[in-house]
Amino acid sequence: QVHVAESGGGLVQPGGSLTLSCAASGFASEEDYAIGWFRRAPGKEREGVSCFDSTDGTTHYSDAVKGRFTISRDSAKNTLYLQLNLLKPEDTAVYYCAVTNRVIAFGCLFSGQYDYWGQGTQVTVSS
């Protein structure tokens, strides 16, 4: 059974940093999957933040976070990380980690392709 769990959210001042972690377990194989970070801000739709597509080994970022956030992973620990730097109040949201073991067709930032989701972790950027 697949299990996904995020951690690392919190309250941070504008310009500050946070590191989010996502522990994923239960996959039979590491091939042909995507794993990514998404967020939902109050009153807004869920949006893709950053993701890793194992079909071609690429990472992707939304324009809103490019240059400020960095995705990385530790395959041995089945853990995905998101380093959030230069945080802005508009980054305030619940951040979710999601995983799929299906080959994706629409780019890994498209959330509709993911099968397994964590509960989310709150990130609040405020002075």
Side-chain angles (χ1 to χ4, degrees):
Q1 182 159 353
V2 178
H3 181 69
V4 180
E6 309 93 341
S7 61
L11 172 64
V12 63
Q13 292 186 341
S17 298
L18 279 176
T19 301
L20 306 183
S21 299
C22 170
S25 62
F27 281 91
S29 171
E30 290 185 273
E31 296 181 350
D32 295 330
Y33 77 93
I35 186 167
W37 290 97
F38 301 83
R39 67 185 182 185
R40 187 191 299 272
K44 294 187 177 180
E45 297 291 320
R46 183 174 59 194
E47 63 173 344
V49 175
S50 182
C51 57
F52 178 81
D53 184 351
S54 72
T55 58
D56 57 10
T58 57
T59 57
H60 302 269
Y61 298 91
S62 69
D63 289 341
V65 307
K66 197 172 296 182
R68 299 188 297 121
F69 292 6
T70 303
I71 193 170
S72 62
R73 66 174 185 167
D74 184 333
S75 297
K77 296 181 180 179
N78 262 356
T79 301
L80 184 74
Y81 302 97
L82 187 68
Q83 177 66 39
L84 292 69
N85 295 327
L86 300 175
L87 281 161
K88 305 175 182 180
E90 52 263 44
D91 294 318
T92 295
V94 178
Y95 283 70
Y96 299 91
C97 178
V99 190
T100 181
N101 54 3
R102 294 181 289 155
V103 176
I104 59 173
F106 301 107
C108 60
L109 286 175
F110 178 52
S111 64
Q113 302 174 110
Y114 288 80
D115 300 307
Y116 307 102
W117 291 80
Q119 294 298 309
T121 186
Q122 176 72 46
V123 172
T124 303
V125 185
S126 175
S127 55

